[in-house]
Amino acid sequence: MTTALAHPNIALVKYWGKQDKAGNMPATPNLSITLSELSTVTTIGDSDRFQFQLNGEPVDDPKVSALIAAMTENFNLPPLRIDSTNNFPTSAGLASSAAGFAALVTAVDAHCKLGMNPALRSEWARRGSASAARSICGGFVALVPPDWQAQSLAPAQHWPLEVVVAITRQEAKDVSSTEGMERSRITSPFYNQWLRSAGDDYAEASAAITERDFEKLAAIAELSCLKMHSLMLTSRPTLSYWTPASVACMDRVRELRSQGEAVFFTVDAGPQIKAVCLPESRAAVAKALADVPGVLEILCSPLGEGARIIND
Ligand code: DP6
């Protein structure tokens, strides 16, 4: 048996839309931070047939089956039993699939002695879910052309940002990211403008990280997030992942910033708000978001490491 652990990552320059070819490659460069306090732990063992359990329940997940089928064909793998557990809500906009596929590929690689380097693990994780490519690395992570294998921009220690997550709904989302981004690609009148501006957003965010310029990162990360949600809202039919509490949290973050706290928000394909802040602002941000009506729970996390084996 082999056990791997991976953390979710939160994109600061978003991926929303794929290239029109095989390999599950994003259409635009994107960039994320990896969180240390949320994790997926995946154990792989030999079996007489393929079996997948998520949080203790047998699950038929077509994306997991497809990835394992592709890896089996490519590497001649034996049948495997896979047990995966998340310590946070699944499919609720907390990047559970990112942590899940990064842990899965890392565990399969070690268990079956495939000898992959991190770039190759990232490529296989990307085939499962493109954001998972980034969870192979820790700290600040880029997923860019031409290879679309994640690379570390800077380790977590480079800039000890903290993330406060406000949970406003626990249930799994109705429309998956995969389906939602395809709908936006085909129907949003703003999609071409999104493609055109993503390179500049990526360059600005990566420079802000190198320079540890919080104000610059805040401005570009919020813009990238709101552009992505504009694509969602202008898709036909519309995609609206927010709750009233999500909107109230975004207002509260702006208010905190105007009062001098170093904080900005980002939101993925779900109703949770991720407030990214400097360590000195974390307590004030967590308290303020906990007091917003409709916020069910607050999770806090510093930045974390990439996917790794924790037991063999
Ligand atoms: C909103 O990586 O879940 O979180 O590649 O189809 O599995 P697939 O999509 P997925 O999409 C993530 C979208 C996002 C933004 C991001 O993480 O960059």
Side-chain angles (χ1 to χ4, degrees), residues 12-14 28-32 134 140-145 148-154 194-210 216-217 220-221 223-224 227:
L12 302 184
V13 175
K14 302 294 186 188
T28 56
N30 50 94
L31 179 164
S32 64
R134 301 184 307 236
F140 299 82
V141 184
L143 185 58
V144 294
W148 300 102
Q149 296 166 332
Q151 10 178 308
S152 169
L153 274 179
W194 166 253
L195 294 184
R196 277 197 292 274
S197 63
D200 288 347
D201 294 351
Y202 172 81
E204 198 169 326
S206 67
I209 289 166
T210 306
K216 187 166 166 176
L217 185 60
I220 198 66
L223 182 64
S224 175
K227 279 186 194 172

Side-chain angles (χ1 to χ4, degrees), residues 50-69:
F50 168 66
Q51 292 178 74
F52 176 58
Q53 287 214 359
L54 181 59
N55 298 326
E57 302 284 333
V59 170
D60 179 16
D61 184 323
K63 282 186 160 185
V64 171
S65 312
L67 184 70
I68 290 295

